Amino acid sequence: MASTAVENAASLTAEADVEIPAGTFAMGDPFGEGYDADGESPVHEVRISAFRISATTVTNEAFAGFVDATGHRTESELYGTSAVFHLAVKARPEDILNRVEAVPWWLNVRGADWAHPAGPLSHWTDIPDHPVTHVSYNDALAYCAWAGRRLPTEAEWEYAARGGLAGRRYPWGNELLKGTPGEAAHNCNIWQGEFPVRNDLDDGYLTTAPARSYNPNGYGLYQTSGNVWEWCSDWFLPKYYRTCLARGTVEDPPGPTIGRGRVMRGGSYLCHDSYCNRYRLAARSSNTPDSAGANLGFRTVAL
């Protein structure tokens, strides 16, 4: 019975996998644009074995299949609240509990969770092909255990996210927009306008976009810049890259054994160069394993 369940779960993601060839790449920020506290430098050489990774982040529909099969309750559901961006809340006034002090554009909303991503007056069935959000690192691990998969390492994530382009700022090149001024086309879902009070919606979305929006990178991965942050398996330790550089070419690094949270990669729909210039390929961030929010999801790797 257990093996059948894993086979059924794997069928939800297998057809969306892309093959990533083995290779060596320069990991880290070659432009000196990273935040010092994030440890995006020094650039160091990493060799990665071939692996298969999902072309997209896990969608609401796929996560619903997991919940239906297992009865899993996410940590946001257990806590009873989660963070929703202030312009996107769909909740009664009494369910908006407070603003998050350090980042007041986030509201703590009772009843916000993966199934109600904007609050209790929203539902995942309205956006089934969007990335699942309000999932913690621990929730992502539970999904992986059910699906017979795992989270990518940080090195695997960056290697796959680059799509075969060496030393580039974004999955498509070094310029944020493509095309001529006035006719430029957007390549990713990030904030447009004055953060956090006005989003001009130039790229079409206030919050999440469907998981297969925009063009994929050279390996066939969608939205490795913007849309939602993605959990990786590594602990987050800013000085880790320095230890890697001292060892020469590093093969399939698993990340440090300690850290101040788990690594998140890719940025989200709230990233803007005036506030969070972390939609670059080399950018890193972190959160505690039990944290969740409306701009945090994950993609998976085949075992």
Side-chain angles (χ1 to χ4, degrees), residues 50-269:
F51 65 103
R52 290 188 295 124
I53 189 170
S54 55
T56 73
T57 50
V58 174
T59 63
N60 284 315
E61 185 174 30
F63 198 81
F66 157 62
V67 171
D68 288 345
T70 64
H72 179 81
R73 296 191 69 205
T74 61
E75 294 193 278
S76 292
E77 290 171 286
L78 295 174
Y79 295 149
T81 68
S82 193
V84 179
F85 184 64
H86 72 116
L87 297 181
V89 173
K90 295 181 179 179
R92 294 176 294 273
E94 60 267 27
D95 288 327
I96 302 173
L97 303 182
N98 59 276
R99 290 184 181 271
V100 181
E101 184 174 348
V103 281
W105 47 88
W106 284 111
L107 301 179
N108 189 26
V109 179
R110 180 167 46 222
D113 53 48
W114 80 269
H116 308 90
L121 300 183
S122 64
H123 200 267
W124 75 265
T125 52
D126 294 329
I127 47 172
D129 57 346
H130 287 226
V132 67
T133 56
H134 299 285
V135 285
S136 68
Y137 174 87
N138 297 323
D139 294 325
L141 290 186
Y143 177 94
C144 287
W146 169 74
R149 299 175 69 84
R150 63 176 175 85
L151 292 175
T153 67
E154 184 178 19
E156 287 174 334
W157 189 96
E158 184 173 327
Y159 178 61
R162 289 187 175 279
L165 289 182
R168 298 298 193 270
R169 185 176 282 114
Y170 308 114
W172 54 86
N174 287 332
E175 300 302 320
L176 181 60
L177 302 177
K178 60 184 178 183
T180 58
E183 298 179 353
H186 290 275
N187 296 294
C188 63
N189 177 19
I190 57 176
W191 186 270
Q192 313 293 322
E194 181 185 353
F195 186 86
V197 296
R198 189 192 78 255
N199 191 328
D200 297 335
L201 304 180
D202 289 346
D203 59 10
Y205 302 98
L206 174 63
T207 60
T208 57
R212 286 184 179 268
S213 301
Y214 306 98
N215 291 323
N217 72 6
Y219 287 151
L221 274 67
Y222 289 84
Q223 300 201 85
T224 53
S225 283
N227 212 25
V228 295
W229 284 102
E230 301 180 25
W231 287 114
C232 293
S233 62
D234 302 36
W235 287 105
F236 180 76
L237 190 67
K239 66 180 181 181
Y240 183 62
Y241 283 12
R242 295 200 298 274
T243 66
C244 288
L245 184 66
R247 291 155 50 196
T249 301
V250 183
E251 296 192 22
D252 296 319
T257 57
I258 58 172
R260 63 165 193 249
R262 296 288 181 173
V263 169
M264 307 187 310
R265 282 301 204 112
S268 83
Y269 57 80

